[in-house]
Each structure stands twice: as C-alpha cells, then as structure tokens.
Amino acid sequence: MAASSSSADAIGTTERRGIPAAAFVEDVQAYLTQSGLDVNSSLAFLQERLQQYRVVEMKLLAQQRDLQAKIPDIEKCLDIATTLQAKKSAGEALIADFEVSEGIYSRACIEDTDFVCLWLGANVMLEYSCEEATTLLQKNLENAKASLEVLVADLQFLRDQVTITQVTIARVYNWDVHQRRLLKTTALKDS
C-alpha cells in the first residue's frame, strides 16, 4: 500500500532534491513517438538513467551510514555533558574511566567543572561551558535526526524511481519483442 501511494506521489512529482522522477510508460508506442527515439535509443537512455539512480543511491546510502554512526556519538557526548551538569548541581564529583591509548584506560575524578571541550572535526577542539555544550549538542542531534529523516525519504523516492524505470525498460523491451514477432508473422503470411 505504501509503495503504491509513494508511486502515485512520484507521478505528480518531477523531481525531489535534484533526483529526476521517472515517468511510468503505459503506452510504449506513444512514449517512443513523443520522445522521438527508437527502441534501442530508448532502452539505452533508460539504462543510463537507471545507472544514474544507482550512483545517487550509493551516495545517499553512504550519507545515511555516516549519520547513523554520528547520532550515537552525539547522544553519548550529550549524555556526558548532562551528567557533568547534574553532578555539579548535586555537588558530587564524577568518576570516569577514559581511554589513554588503545586498550589502556585510566580513572579520573572530575570535580566542579564549568567547562567541557568538544571535538568539532578537522582536528579542532573548542572549550564550551556545560550549558553551551548541552545546547550545541542538542541542536546537532536534532539536525542530524532531521537530516536522516530527509535522507530516508530521498532513498524511498529513489527506490520508487528505480522500480518505475526497471518496469519501463521491461515494457519497452517486451513491446519490441512483440512488434518483431508481428513483423515476422506478417512476413511469413505474405510469402
């Protein structure tokens, strides 16, 4: 049911975020006439479009994997910043184990801290107050989750376009086979 409703949405859509929509071809003869292509050129065009969809799909899947790996990291950092704030408010020290080197850990006692350092990427670390860090991490988490939702919708749209294109390729190919059989049958009857 969901696939048919999203396919119906795709029919009315010309593109989604730069991904062109595939048109479902009901009448192959009319499609070939309108496009001005012969069967082989049409099939080549459709195969090329299918390949383009596959390339975009690979890029979107890589982005999805990156976001899915990033979200738990942001959540852990947010949890740590929140815990630091809670311990400070309660007047307690935080006992934490941290990795010094691969497989080597040390224990630290963090008492009454107002600041945390966050890695921003590209070997850049900045110091923030616990409140600023919590706000920043919460915003980053919301943005990452929103981006993931958009990415999942893009992937679904793309999969629908791949399916429509594959069906169109099969329809054009089958129409061509049928036309060749008709010509062959007509030629046999005439001779």
Side-chain angles (χ1 to χ4, degrees):
M1 176 89 175
S4 64
S5 67
S6 53
S7 294
D9 293 343
I11 292 171
T13 307
T14 57
E15 73 172 43
R16 176 180 170 86
R17 293 178 16 108
I19 303 168
F24 180 74
V25 175
E26 285 191 45
D27 183 358
V28 175
Q29 180 65 48
Y31 166 73
L32 292 173
T33 304
Q34 285 177 343
S35 65
L37 299 172
D38 63 359
V39 172
N40 290 334
S41 299
S42 176
L43 286 171
F45 168 77
L46 292 169
Q47 289 289 353
E48 183 180 328
R49 176 61 57 92
L50 188 60
Q51 187 62 31
Q52 291 169 346
Y53 286 147
R54 295 290 186 203
V55 169
V56 172
E57 182 180 33
M58 288 174 56
K59 288 179 183 177
L60 291 179
L61 286 171
Q63 290 175 3
Q64 182 182 28
R65 277 191 306 273
D66 290 347
L67 277 174
Q68 287 172 332
K70 186 179 184 181
I71 288 173
D73 290 343
I74 296 172
E75 288 171 336
K76 275 196 276 185
C77 290
L78 183 59
D79 185 44
I80 291 168
T82 305
T83 301
L84 279 172
Q85 280 182 297
K87 291 287 187 178
K88 182 181 180 209
S89 298
E92 299 175 21
L94 175 67
I95 306 297
D97 293 327
F98 63 96
E99 191 171 22
V100 177
S101 182
E102 188 174 332
I104 300 173
Y105 292 86
S106 182
R107 182 161 285 176
C109 179
I110 303 169
E111 297 176 5
D112 193 28
T113 183
D114 292 326
F115 298 97
V116 295
C117 294
L118 298 177
W119 284 107
L120 300 180
N123 292 329
V124 175
M125 179 186 276
L126 285 180
E127 184 178 74
Y128 291 94
S129 70
C130 289
E131 294 81 19
E132 288 175 326
T134 302
T135 302
L136 176 68
L137 290 168
Q138 188 63 44
K139 181 181 173 192
N140 287 352
L141 182 61
E142 289 168 7
N143 289 343
K145 286 182 177 181
S147 294
L148 186 59
E149 284 180 28
V150 169
L151 208 52
V152 167
D154 288 349
L155 279 165
Q156 182 57 49
F157 176 79
L158 188 59
R159 287 182 183 122
D160 289 346
Q161 304 323 299
V162 166
T163 301
I164 291 168
T165 304
Q166 288 172 331
V167 168
T168 301
I169 289 170
R171 290 176 66 88
V172 170
Y173 179 78
N174 290 340
W175 179 86
D176 185 44
V177 168
H178 181 68
Q179 293 301 312
R180 289 176 192 231
R181 283 185 185 156
L182 284 176
L183 284 173
K184 189 175 181 181
T185 305
T186 305
L188 288 176
K189 285 182 184 177
D190 290 343
S191 54

